[in-house]
Amino acid sequence: MTNEGTREGVEPLTGAALTRARVLDAAARLIGTVGLVRATTKQIAREAGCSEAALYKHFRDKEEIFVRVLRERAPRLAAAVAELPERAGQGTVREHLEAVVVVAVPFYRQSFPMAGGLLASPELLAAHRRKLDKAGPHHVSSHLADYLRAEQQLGRVAADVDPDAAAMLLIGACFHRAFLEVFYAGEGPAEAFRPAALDEFAHATVRALLGAIQAPEA
Amino acid sequence: MTNEGTREGVEPLTGAALTRARVLDAAARLIGTVGLVRATTKQIAREAGCSEAALYKHFRDKEEIFVRVLRERAPRLAAAVAELPERAGQGTVREHLEAVVVVAVPFYRQSFPMAGGLLASPELLAAHRRKLDKAGPHHVSSHLADYLRAEQQLGRVAADVDPDAAAMLLIGACFHRAFLEVFYAGEGPAEAFRPAALDEFAHATVRALLGAIQAPEA
DNA sequence: CGATGGTGAGTGAGTGTTCACCCACCTGTC
DNA sequence: GACAGGTGGGTGAACACTCACTCACCATCG
């Protein structure tokens, strides 16, 4: 219980904050391994090395633990994409879009087990939605569309393209890919969904988006 | 076993089959309204107008009810897309792709609440995955890719396009769109996700996929 | 024909288990 | 000694599922 930064060294987390962090880590780990429905208060407490009652010294209820995990432990996808418009004109469009894919797929993969629990329970979903003022899931594609619009004005993206539709295509592909990775975790047509294939996926997907699919004469 | 329509006359479903159908309808309705976690055996029985025990005369356990709902009540998206390759060369590519969008989005929208419950519970997911021999979710995009390949051989789709990546883009957009519709059901930026907008979405998305996004000189 | 027994559908009243959550109490630190 | 942080033990509620039983129906047979 006495804690100098002996073990972590970098982070001088004191008792209370340390326990809080351990609870969030435990919850995140359990959600990823055994799923949201088996991530019970008893399991979280055991994994965090404290009692069930201790959870309620730091969080109002179980739902708040999950909300905090989603907000404090998830990669900041929306924020990363929101910075893209500023980079318009630098590097290549292809590089930026591939970077989005490489960030977005793991983010969605990690978020799916938790989001799944929300989709299965409209009341949880409504509660969570209210807390996501400007970080809602639709902002990812809309920020990406903003970036494409900026590149359009710079002439690096064709003028007759609908930025919203193009952004939806790319983000949707990442979203679907992440779903398939979770769905076939460990089994199924795994060779296509192994993490090492992410770079290939990013390359092929961005290439398809950038290219024309319609034959010249058709 | 003997089944004349003596009582109903109009309804070919007699006692046992009727109850079974009512249970599946009730379960599907509850999943869509109160969510999977609140779709308890008690609620299903009440909604179906029978006792809880009666459920177990027709289904081994609760999980089997959900599996049957998913298999017998959901639109057959994979089957519909699987027929596409035969239609290569007929009509226009645009028409076929827009038709896919119009079918896929409602399908995914309806499936999300149930799939969400699966994602939140790896054991349910594994059980369900085993029963989906050739109807797994990755078949949708792979069948669509087959169709694009067929059109490619007919010269109606550019030869240098990766059919798998293009299919993933379109299906992914539908998948993501359906997710957003469920997530923002009733609230949020609803104007963009109203059902009436589905045709516009299909048109814009397919147009973006068919067009080139990269400027000629870049 | 009418008694007998088998059968599938259905039920009310439970079963054991698991869950989120909480109370009374302890303990180290300012 | 006040108090934040932490605990063991418990609580009522909800859950999926079961049990012993009823009832309607039907085939068989004395």
Side-chain angles (χ1 to χ4, degrees):
Chain A
M1 307 307 174
T2 64
N3 39 7
E4 287 82 13
T6 52
R7 289 198 153 187
E8 283 75 9
V10 192
E11 273 294 307
L13 286 183
T14 77
L18 176 64
T19 308
R20 211 191 102 102
R22 277 211 271 246
V23 169
L24 291 182
D25 286 339
R29 211 175 312 131
L30 282 172
I31 290 170
T33 55
V34 300
L36 189 83
V37 301
R38 294 271 174 227
T40 66
T41 51
K42 182 176 297 193
Q43 287 279 342
I44 293 172
R46 201 153 64 96
E47 191 92 359
C50 68
S51 72
E52 263 188 280
L55 303 181
Y56 295 89
K57 300 286 183 180
H58 299 276
F59 303 95
R60 186 164 25 87
D61 52 18
K62 194 185 133 182
E63 186 195 319
E64 198 197 333
I65 297 178
F66 294 145
V67 169
R68 291 294 166 187
V69 169
L70 213 47
R71 293 169 67 94
E72 301 179 19
R73 287 294 185 276
R76 309 293 309 153
L77 173 62
V81 179
E83 291 174 359
L84 260 190
E86 306 167 10
R87 300 225 183 85
Q90 306 169 15
T92 67
V93 175
R94 169 189 297 271
E95 283 169 4
H96 288 148
L97 295 185
E98 287 185 1
V100 167
V101 172
V102 170
V103 172
V105 172
F107 168 81
Y108 284 131
R109 189 199 308 134
Q110 178 179 338
S111 304
F112 258 118
M114 217 166 333
L118 295 181
L119 291 181
S121 164
E123 52 203 18
L124 275 186
L125 191 144
H128 182 65
R129 187 171 44 206
R130 263 175 239 117
K131 304 195 178 184
L132 286 180
D133 272 346
K134 44 189 61 176
H138 72 287
H139 283 102
V140 176
S141 55
S142 75
H143 282 146
L144 181 59
D146 290 340
Y147 163 72
L148 292 176
R149 251 184 294 271
E151 293 284 11
Q152 232 172 5
Q153 294 204 332
L154 296 174
R156 306 212 302 172
V157 162
D160 62 341
V161 162
D162 177 349
D164 292 295
M168 195 71 170
L169 285 170
L170 189 66
I171 295 301
C174 297
F175 192 76
H176 194 215
R177 158 93 184 187
F179 168 79
L180 292 177
E181 286 186 9
V182 174
F183 191 89
Y184 291 111
E187 307 179 36
E191 75 283 355
F193 305 128
R194 67 184 193 280
L198 181 54
D199 282 338
E200 303 169 26
F201 173 78
H203 187 75
T205 306
V206 170
R207 186 172 184 279
L209 185 64
L210 289 174
I213 198 182
Q214 200 164 30
E217 74 279 8
Chain B
M1 312 299 182
T2 64
N3 41 3
E4 287 83 12
T6 52
R7 285 199 154 191
E8 281 79 8
V10 194
E11 274 290 313
L13 288 182
T14 74
L18 176 64
T19 308
R20 211 191 102 102
R22 277 210 272 244
V23 169
L24 291 183
D25 286 339
R29 212 175 312 129
L30 282 171
I31 290 170
T33 55
V34 301
L36 189 84
V37 300
R38 294 274 173 223
T40 66
T41 50
K42 183 175 295 192
Q43 288 279 342
I44 293 172
R46 202 153 64 96
E47 191 92 0
C50 67
S51 71
E52 260 187 282
L55 302 181
Y56 295 90
K57 299 288 180 181
H58 300 276
F59 304 94
R60 185 163 28 85
D61 52 19
K62 193 185 134 182
E63 185 195 319
E64 198 197 332
I65 297 179
F66 293 146
V67 169
R68 291 293 166 188
V69 168
L70 212 46
R71 292 169 66 93
E72 300 180 19
R73 289 291 187 276
R76 311 292 309 153
L77 174 61
V81 179
E83 292 174 0
L84 259 190
E86 306 168 10
R87 301 225 183 83
Q90 307 170 13
T92 67
V93 177
R94 168 188 297 271
E95 283 169 4
H96 288 147
L97 295 185
E98 286 187 0
V100 167
V101 173
V102 170
V103 172
V105 172
F107 169 81
Y108 285 131
R109 189 197 310 134
Q110 179 179 339
S111 304
F112 257 118
M114 218 165 333
L118 296 182
L119 292 181
S121 163
E123 52 203 17
L124 273 186
L125 191 144
H128 181 64
R129 187 171 44 207
R130 262 175 240 119
K131 304 196 176 180
L132 286 181
D133 273 344
K134 42 189 64 176
H138 71 287
H139 283 102
V140 176
S141 54
S142 75
H143 282 145
L144 182 57
D146 289 340
Y147 163 72
L148 291 177
R149 252 183 293 273
E151 293 284 12
Q152 232 172 5
Q153 295 203 331
L154 296 174
R156 305 211 304 171
V157 163
D160 62 342
V161 162
D162 177 351
D164 292 295
M168 194 72 170
L169 285 170
L170 190 66
I171 295 301
C174 297
F175 192 76
H176 194 216
R177 158 93 185 186
F179 168 79
L180 292 177
E181 287 185 8
V182 173
F183 191 91
Y184 291 111
E187 308 178 33
E191 75 282 357
F193 305 127
R194 66 184 195 280
L198 180 54
D199 283 337
E200 303 169 25
F201 173 78
H203 187 74
T205 306
V206 170
R207 186 171 184 279
L209 185 65
L210 290 174
I213 197 182
Q214 200 164 30
E217 72 279 7

